């Protein structure tokens, strides 16, 4: 009796986990498991579900959906590469300038961060107006300064549409990268800069030999976050090109492909929740291992700190 | 023990307050029934206010709580709510054949209305778009007509008249372009509108008889006539506004209503928006002309959708009263006057001050194509649908990513993958 009471006391902390575990199960685990289960069924979203085994996976990976799936996957990869180049590198450069304590640093920090506070739908709407080929500000401005030859149908060209969306996305998230890098730069021991200057190092050498190497863990973490965001991207494409992710599917990513399959687009005659769940599961299989690496790196940095 | 007493008391107070609140609400709404109604058409809100007033004038104390849901999200939200038992009493349904409405019928969420609603004011063709298994599953609300709409002031300025052939249409385009006027405003970014453009030209060339042959499997989409149709459309793009592939239907409506282009390929529902944007806008309508004067033009007319009744509605009596009213000519008049669209009721009084609507009625009753290959056609019953193929295919052709022949092949390959008459 005494032993049982002692065991109960020792493990009584488990009760404290119940509320969090219940919320996690309800909001994360259950939807995920039910989505995974759904990927083995044919279900238009209503009525009885029909078990089809791995047919949905076959259709997506090698069957009639494979062309769209691999095209969308390719666009996610492009999204990651271009958004890394247009997000992290400029973010680092701007952060270096702002860390130098130039005039108006706080003003520019705020200015860069403002787009990050806007909802993606608003950003998409605003930029769709700005990029309108006939009366949008961008093309009008290019024409006024004599660069009319550069005025393009930004969102209506299969080559330009995806990079344009990525640039808009970079514009919105720039403030986040700048602030993250600034926090990293502030965290570097100032004595290292002073020692380097005494040793005769110039600013370029301080940046390349001290600041950038010290920021490598942050760059790594941000890169992993970029991978996760790039493979989960949906909202900005949806806001600027709709569920069809046009023109001619040139901006279609896994998120918009999933939306079209699961819920159907305007006028679509079919919806397939099972097939949609299959795409979601495949996105998860891509993102999950990367998320594990991210958590590992963050834990490692926390412990090291 | 003390804690337990407090908890029990708190629960009693909580339960008691809910019961009291429920009783109070019941009392406040005695005699008045609120019918929850979902739709994807924002333009109908004013219609339901008028219907509510008309019903109340008849002594029926019914309140219509109409909510609009985004068209792209409507079907999934509706099916989820019906499954969860929280669905609206009445809702808009898409036309048949189509898996969305058929799915709701098969799952037993829609009530058949035969014997409940008097359908004598509808033509059999209109009713056919919402019938399956020998039953009628909704009250049709509108017939839509699509074709070419033109700016009358621009046509008058250059002495132009409605064309009788495709050649005459091209002559109009040439004349406008040489005078610095953009002949057509086309929403290349709105892929669905391009698919619609294809289908509305298709009923005049290759024409309804040819479409009938494809449906029966007597020819297929690789027919030179279909390839020629693709080429005619592709060749027409030189008369569209610059960078048209980056414009959507919102841009198109704004540009057309503000006189930036002379013509658009669109549907009669666009008129309300054009008049909102420019109350002084004068526009006309003509069917897409056939290739030669020997052929007759046809118009693409389709039943837009219907009002369905939730089989599990708790306010069925009041909901049926609304449905009965929507099947009367009086409702047809309210609908057409308010929305500027063609009511699905055959004998409703038409608004005399809307010549486009009157013209639409005339065409719909005289030269509507018997066969179609877009919405409401047999090519919408499987996967991929002709609509899905044409949406992306038209964009690809306009962007010179594929040729007119390749577009025809895409349609043929896609449809013949499941449509048996084309598998020969």
């Amino acid at each position: 009796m005494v032993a049982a009471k002692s065991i109960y006391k020792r493990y009584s902390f488990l009760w404290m986990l119940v509320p969090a575990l219940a919320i996690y199960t309800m909001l994360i685990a259950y939807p995920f498991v039910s989505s995974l289960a759904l990927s083995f069924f044919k279900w238009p979203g209503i009525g009885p579900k029909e078990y089809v085994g791995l047919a949905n996976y076959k259709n997506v990976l090698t069957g009639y959906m494979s062309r769209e799936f691999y095209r969308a996957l390719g666009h996610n990869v492009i999204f990651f590469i271009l958004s890394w180049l247009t997000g992290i590198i400029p973010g680092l450069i701007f952060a270096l300038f702002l860390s130098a304590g130039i005039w108006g640093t706080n003003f520019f920090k705020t200015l860069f961060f403002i787009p990050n506070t806007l909802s993606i739908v608003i950003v998409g709407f605003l930029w769709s107006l700005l990029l309108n080929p006939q009366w949008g500000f961008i093309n009008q401005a290019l024409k006024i300064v004599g660069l009319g030859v550069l005025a393009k149908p930004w969102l209506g060209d299969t080559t330009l549409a995806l990079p344009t969306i990525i640039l808009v996305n970079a514009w919105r998230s720039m403030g986040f990268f700048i602030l993250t890098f600034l926090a990293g730069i502030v965290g570097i021991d100032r004595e290292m800069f002073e020692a380097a200057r005494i040793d005769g190092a110039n600013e370029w050498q301080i940046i390349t030999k001290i600041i950038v190497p010290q920021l490598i863990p942050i760059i790594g973490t941000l890169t992993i976050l970029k991978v996760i965001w790039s493979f989960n991207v949906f909202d900005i494409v949806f806001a600027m090109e709709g569920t069809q992710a046009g023109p001619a599917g040139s901006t279609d990513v896994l998120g918009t492909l999933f939306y079209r399959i699961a819920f159907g687009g305007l006028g679509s005659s079919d919806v397939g929740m099972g097939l949609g769940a299959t795409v979601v599961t495949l996105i998860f299989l891509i993102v999950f291992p990367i998320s594990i690496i991210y958590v590992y790196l963050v834990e490692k940095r926390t412990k090291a700190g | 023990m003390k804690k337990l007493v407090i908890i029990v008391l708190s629960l009693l107070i909580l339960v008691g307050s809910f019961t009291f609140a429920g009783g109070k609400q019941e009392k406040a709404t005695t005699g008045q029934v609120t019918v929850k109604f979902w739709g994807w058409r924002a333009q109908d809100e004013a219609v339901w206010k008028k219907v509510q007033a008309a019903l109340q004038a008849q002594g029926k104390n019914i309140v219509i709580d109409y909510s609009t849901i985004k068209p792209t999200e409507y079907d999934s939200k509706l099916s989820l709510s019906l499954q969860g038992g929280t669905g609206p009493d009445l809702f808009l349904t898409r036309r048949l054949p189509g898996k969305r409405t058929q799915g709701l019928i098969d799952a037993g969420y829609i009530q058949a209305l035969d014997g409940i609603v008097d359908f004598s004011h509808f033509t059999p063709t209109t009713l056919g778009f919402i019938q399956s298994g020998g039953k009628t599953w909704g009250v049709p609300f509108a017939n839509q007509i699509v074709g070419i709409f033109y700016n009358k002031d621009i046509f008058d300025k250059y002495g132009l008249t409605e064309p009788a052939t495709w050649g005459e249409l091209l002559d109009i385009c040439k004349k406008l372009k040489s005078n610095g006027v953009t002949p057509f405003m086309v929403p290349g970014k709105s892929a669905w509108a391009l698919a619609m453009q294809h289908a509305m030209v298709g009923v005049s060339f290759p024409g309804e008889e040819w479409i009938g042959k494809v449906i029966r499997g007597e020819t297929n989409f690789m027919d030179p006539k279909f390839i020629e149709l693709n080429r005619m459309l592709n060749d027409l793009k030189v008369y569209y506004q610059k960078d048209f592939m980056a414009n959507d239907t919102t841009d198109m409506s704004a540009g057309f209503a503000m006189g930036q282009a002379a013509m658009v390929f669109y549907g009669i529902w666009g008129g309300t928006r054009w008049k909102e944007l420019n109350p002084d806008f004068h526009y006309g309508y003509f069917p897409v002309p056939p290739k030669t004067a020997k052929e007759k033009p046809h118009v693409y007319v389709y039943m837009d959708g219907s009002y369905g009744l939730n089989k599990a509605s708790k306010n069925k009596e009041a909901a049926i009263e609304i449905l009965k009213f929507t099947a009367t000519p009086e409702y047809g008049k309210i609908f057409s006057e308010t929305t500027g669209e063609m009511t699905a009721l055959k004998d409703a009084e038409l608004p005399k001050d809307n010549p486009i609507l009157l013209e639409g009625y005339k065409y719909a009753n005289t030269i509507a194509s018997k066969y179609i290959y877009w919405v409401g056609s047999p090519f919408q019953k499987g996967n991929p649908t002709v609509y899905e193929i044409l949406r992306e295919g038209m964009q690809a052709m306009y962007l010179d990513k594929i040729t007119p022949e390749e577009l025809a092949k895409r349609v043929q390959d896609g449809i013949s993958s499941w449509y048996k008459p084309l598998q020969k």
Side-chain angles (χ1 to χ4, degrees):
Chain A
M1 188 64 191
V2 175
K5 211 169 184 180
S6 148
I7 289 170
Y8 176 80
K9 251 189 170 176
R10 188 185 296 171
Y11 293 104
S12 61
F13 70 92
L14 287 175
W15 286 107
M16 314 300 168
L17 295 177
V18 169
L21 193 68
I23 292 171
Y24 177 82
T25 308
M26 205 166 65
L27 299 178
I28 311 278
Y30 171 72
F32 173 70
V33 172
S34 68
S35 165
L36 183 68
L38 196 56
S39 68
F40 300 106
F41 289 86
K42 187 180 177 194
W43 188 48
I46 201 153
K49 299 182 182 85
E50 182 194 341
Y51 179 73
V52 290
L54 290 171
N56 286 335
Y57 288 91
K58 198 178 157 200
N59 284 333
V60 171
L61 294 171
T62 59
Y64 71 94
M65 289 301 302
S66 61
R67 188 185 71 88
E68 280 186 75
F69 176 76
Y70 291 115
R71 182 179 68 184
L73 183 64
H75 290 155
N76 282 97
V77 173
I78 293 171
F79 203 100
F80 163 66
I81 296 169
L82 291 186
S83 65
W84 192 91
L85 290 170
T86 56
I88 292 186
I89 293 181
L92 178 60
I93 294 169
F94 285 129
L96 288 170
F97 276 115
L98 292 176
S99 69
I102 53 167
W103 176 85
T105 298
N106 282 334
F107 169 74
F108 284 113
K109 264 195 246 177
T110 313
L111 193 70
F112 278 123
F113 200 72
I114 285 174
N116 216 50
T117 62
L118 299 174
S119 95
I120 295 220
V121 179
I122 293 171
V123 170
F125 175 71
L126 283 177
W127 276 97
S128 294
L129 290 179
L130 293 170
L131 292 164
N132 183 294
Q134 284 85 26
W135 45 80
F137 172 78
I138 303 290
N139 280 1
Q140 293 294 341
L142 285 168
K143 283 172 193 162
I144 288 168
V145 299
L147 292 172
V149 69
L150 295 178
K152 301 282 181 199
W154 304 101
L155 295 171
D157 183 297
T158 47
T159 321
L160 292 172
L162 187 60
T164 304
I165 292 172
I166 293 168
L167 279 173
V168 170
N169 194 51
W171 173 82
R172 181 181 179 269
S173 55
M174 188 61 66
F176 171 77
F177 293 115
I178 292 173
L179 288 191
T180 311
F181 280 125
L182 269 176
I185 294 168
V186 169
I188 300 171
D189 191 350
R190 313 310 293 176
E191 285 180 11
M192 288 172 79
F193 299 147
E194 284 159 24
R197 285 200 184 94
I198 291 165
D199 289 343
N202 58 28
E203 290 305 311
W204 176 246
Q205 284 169 322
I206 289 172
I207 288 170
T208 54
K209 306 284 182 192
I210 298 174
I211 298 179
V212 173
Q214 291 280 320
L215 291 178
I216 292 288
I218 293 179
I219 294 172
T221 308
L222 288 177
T223 302
I224 287 170
L225 275 177
K226 264 276 168 219
V227 177
I228 297 168
W229 292 341
S230 298
F231 280 89
N232 282 324
V233 68
F234 166 76
D235 37 19
I236 188 75
V237 181
F238 177 71
M240 296 185 79
E241 292 285 2
T243 52
Q244 291 304 309
S250 61
T251 56
D252 201 15
V253 287
L254 290 173
T256 44
L257 177 66
F258 156 73
Y259 188 92
R260 272 204 316 281
I261 295 174
F263 304 115
L266 182 67
S268 163
S269 62
D270 196 15
V271 283
M273 290 287 187
L275 209 56
T278 307
V279 175
V280 168
T281 307
L282 292 169
I283 297 174
F284 174 79
L285 288 176
I286 296 165
V287 172
F288 184 67
I290 301 160
S291 306
I292 296 285
I293 298 170
Y294 168 72
V295 173
Y296 170 75
L297 284 178
V298 170
E299 285 287 310
K300 202 175 147 192
R301 274 182 56 204
T302 312
K303 277 178 189 163
Chain B
M1 189 62 194
K2 202 175 169 185
K3 274 183 189 168
L4 190 72
V5 171
I6 291 170
I7 290 169
V8 170
L9 276 175
S10 309
L11 280 172
L12 280 173
I13 291 167
L14 198 65
V15 171
S17 62
F18 276 128
T19 315
F20 181 70
K24 202 174 166 189
Q25 195 181 348
E26 188 66 33
K27 202 177 171 186
T29 56
T30 301
Q32 188 183 74
V33 184
T34 301
V35 174
K36 210 158 77 166
F37 199 149
W38 284 10
W40 65 80
R41 292 165 51 90
Q43 67 267 45
D44 286 353
E45 276 174 28
V47 173
W48 297 116
K49 278 184 189 146
K50 289 181 186 173
V51 171
Q52 185 179 296
L55 287 171
Q56 287 181 350
Q58 291 175 11
K60 290 163 187 158
N61 201 1
I62 297 171
V63 173
I64 303 173
D65 176 15
Y66 182 73
S67 310
T68 308
I69 296 166
K70 220 175 157 188
T72 46
E73 290 161 18
Y74 178 76
D75 301 277
S76 51
K77 278 191 177 165
L78 178 67
S79 61
L80 285 172
S81 72
L82 289 172
Q83 284 177 89
T86 57
D89 303 299
L90 293 171
F91 46 85
L92 258 62
T93 66
R94 314 266 181 195
R95 77 197 73 77
L96 291 169
K99 287 183 181 172
R100 292 160 186 271
T101 302
Q102 196 58 53
L104 296 174
I105 294 167
D106 295 344
Y109 292 118
I110 307 185
Q111 171 144 359
L113 298 173
D114 305 272
I116 297 172
V117 174
D118 173 14
F119 286 110
S120 62
H121 298 288
F122 297 93
T123 64
T125 313
T126 301
L127 283 178
F129 280 107
I130 197 61
Q131 286 172 327
S132 90
K135 290 180 178 170
T136 312
W137 299 96
V139 182
F141 58 82
N143 283 322
Q144 302 292 3
I145 187 165
V146 298
I148 299 176
F149 294 82
Y150 65 98
N151 182 320
K152 278 190 166 175
D153 293 337
I154 295 179
F155 266 51
D156 289 347
K157 187 177 175 186
Y158 296 102
L160 303 169
T161 52
E162 294 178 5
T165 64
W166 190 261
E168 285 180 25
L169 179 68
L170 293 179
D171 290 339
I172 289 172
C173 291
K174 277 176 208 158
K175 188 164 186 182
L176 288 168
K177 201 174 177 183
S178 64
N179 283 288
V181 178
T182 303
F184 275 105
M185 187 97 186
V186 171
K189 203 173 154 193
S190 299
W192 67 271
L194 298 185
M196 181 176 80
Q197 181 197 18
H198 194 289
M200 73 171 83
V201 178
V203 293
S204 283
F205 180 82
E208 63 172 5
E209 291 305 330
W210 179 87
I211 300 170
K213 283 182 183 173
V214 184
I215 291 170
R216 294 189 296 272
E218 291 163 21
T219 184
N220 61 36
F221 289 107
M222 288 307 288
D223 188 317
K225 284 185 175 175
F226 191 70
I227 296 171
E228 194 180 347
L229 162 65
N230 294 341
R231 194 173 295 119
M232 279 159 61
L233 284 165
N234 201 34
D235 291 346
L236 194 67
K237 72 184 177 196
V238 294
Y239 298 114
Y240 300 169
Q241 80 278 19
K242 190 175 177 290
D243 297 334
F244 72 95
M245 285 304 292
N247 288 122
D248 58 16
T249 49
T250 309
D251 300 337
M252 183 203 74
S253 285
F256 182 51
M258 296 303 171
Q260 294 193 1
M263 293 175 279
V264 292
F265 289 93
Y266 210 54
I268 198 163
W269 62 87
T272 316
R273 181 71 187 135
W274 302 330
K275 281 285 186 187
E276 265 171 22
L277 289 164
N278 180 5
D280 299 325
F281 184 52
H282 301 116
Y283 67 97
Y285 167 85
F286 58 84
V288 176
K291 206 169 166 226
T292 64
K294 281 186 283 178
E295 296 144 336
K296 279 184 180 171
H298 285 95
V299 289
Y300 198 129
V301 181
Y302 62 91
M303 199 279 277
D304 201 358
S306 77
Y307 306 132
L309 172 63
N310 182 352
K311 211 173 186 178
S313 165
K314 290 188 179 87
N315 300 307
K316 212 175 255 182
E317 211 178 306
I320 288 172
E321 285 300 327
I322 296 170
L323 288 180
K324 280 181 176 170
F325 185 75
T326 62
T328 62
E330 187 186 352
Y331 173 75
K333 186 171 180 264
I334 292 175
F335 181 85
S336 284
E337 276 176 357
T338 315
T339 62
E341 294 174 40
M342 295 197 300
T343 169
L345 287 140
K346 66 178 179 187
D347 44 10
E349 190 189 327
L350 303 174
K352 301 280 182 289
D353 58 344
N354 192 334
I356 294 289
L357 195 62
L358 296 173
E359 207 172 4
Y361 263 93
K362 187 188 80 187
Y363 286 131
N365 291 324
T366 52
I367 55 167
S369 181
K370 277 186 286 181
Y371 303 108
I372 49 180
Y373 58 83
W374 189 46
V375 288
S377 79
F379 305 124
Q380 288 297 105
K381 289 181 180 177
N383 273 323
T385 63
V386 73
Y387 192 4
E388 281 152 15
I389 303 167
L390 281 178
R391 271 193 307 223
E392 197 174 313
M394 279 290 280
Q395 285 190 326
M397 184 180 76
Y398 277 157
L399 288 160
D400 295 326
K401 300 286 170 194
I402 58 170
T403 62
E405 288 81 4
E406 284 166 333
L407 175 59
K409 192 169 182 314
R410 273 195 190 188
V411 179
Q412 174 61 20
D413 289 352
I415 300 300
S416 66
S417 69
W418 60 268
Y419 186 69
K420 289 208 162 57
L422 292 187
Q423 288 173 345
K424 288 181 256 175

